[in-house]
Amino acid sequence: MPSEQETTTLSAEQHETLSALVEKYRSNPGSTIPILQDVEGHFGYLPEQALNWIADRLDIPRSHFYGVATFYAQFHLKPRGENIVSVCCGTACHVKGGTKIAEQLHRDLGLAPGEDTTTDKMFTLETVRCVGACSIAPVVLVNSKVYADMTLKSASKLLKRLRNETCQVHYDDAETEG
């Protein structure tokens, strides 16, 4: 039985969305991954309250959802930034400086040790193993768009440009709203 706190931390809209997911998958046992994909697609990550709420209503142990969610890299248990910056650190990228680029971008974003998302939720920085683009290493992906032959300087420049573009979009959005 869900606790009072768990049911009150979700908005009415979120309850409606999650209720629809429960009904969609109620008669499909073994749908853990599609459920997690739908939840992550809606929220951008897997909120604890949402997973617990669904698990309780489908009578599935919560640990089952968390076991699957933590096994696959496609799922995220923490909120992520608006822009996902992925630095490839596979063998070819590592040899050509991928790890140093990741360290540079970490500093450029002002992230504290162990953090991967900026406090304003504008950026999430992650390192990934091989993205399969070894011939154009080192590679940085920004929201799945590939940038090849990166250097420390070009990676910082790319991040600065992305930050300016993102700020401009938010500024334009604020002007149209206000």
Side-chain angles (χ1 to χ4, degrees):
M1 189 67 165
S3 71
E4 180 76 23
Q5 182 182 10
E6 289 173 334
T7 57
T8 57
T9 56
L10 297 168
S11 70
E13 178 192 351
Q14 291 168 334
H15 272 123
E16 188 175 321
T17 298
L18 295 176
S19 294
L21 286 177
V22 166
E23 291 312 310
K24 178 179 176 182
Y25 292 108
R26 184 175 300 282
S27 61
N28 296 321
S31 299
T32 302
I33 290 177
I35 291 169
L36 294 174
Q37 289 171 329
D38 283 355
V39 172
E40 181 138 339
H42 181 74
F43 291 95
Y45 74 108
L46 301 172
E48 181 180 353
Q49 297 90 350
L51 290 185
N52 293 343
W53 195 89
I54 290 174
D56 292 343
R57 272 134 192 98
L58 291 177
D59 199 25
I60 297 172
R62 293 174 176 184
S63 61
H64 179 71
F65 278 120
Y66 289 100
V68 173
T70 56
F71 181 80
Y72 292 104
Q74 69 176 299
F75 299 118
H76 305 92
L77 296 173
K78 297 186 316 187
R80 303 182 81 211
E82 185 176 318
N83 297 288
I84 308 300
V85 179
S86 305
V87 180
C88 181
C89 292
T91 302
C93 288
H94 175 75
V95 168
K96 291 185 165 187
T99 304
K100 290 181 180 174
I101 290 171
E103 292 168 356
Q104 176 67 45
L105 294 179
H106 197 269
R107 284 190 298 275
D108 290 349
L109 289 170
L111 295 168
E115 289 185 355
D116 59 4
T117 301
T118 57
T119 53
D120 61 3
K121 304 284 188 245
M122 297 297 287
F123 297 95
T124 292
L125 175 67
E126 60 187 16
T127 57
V128 294
R129 299 298 161 211
C130 189
V131 297
C134 301
S135 64
I136 56 174
V139 172
V140 173
L141 289 85
V142 177
N143 301 325
S144 300
K145 183 175 180 182
V146 177
Y147 294 88
D149 300 318
M150 299 302 287
T151 63
L152 294 175
K153 187 175 180 180
S154 66
S156 287
K157 199 172 177 179
L158 171 64
L159 186 61
K160 185 175 182 180
R161 190 182 80 216
L162 182 62
R163 182 177 280 159
N164 288 338
E165 289 172 0
T166 302
C167 288
Q168 184 63 41
V169 167
H170 286 270
Y171 177 77
D172 291 346
D173 289 347
E175 277 196 341
T176 57
E177 291 173 4

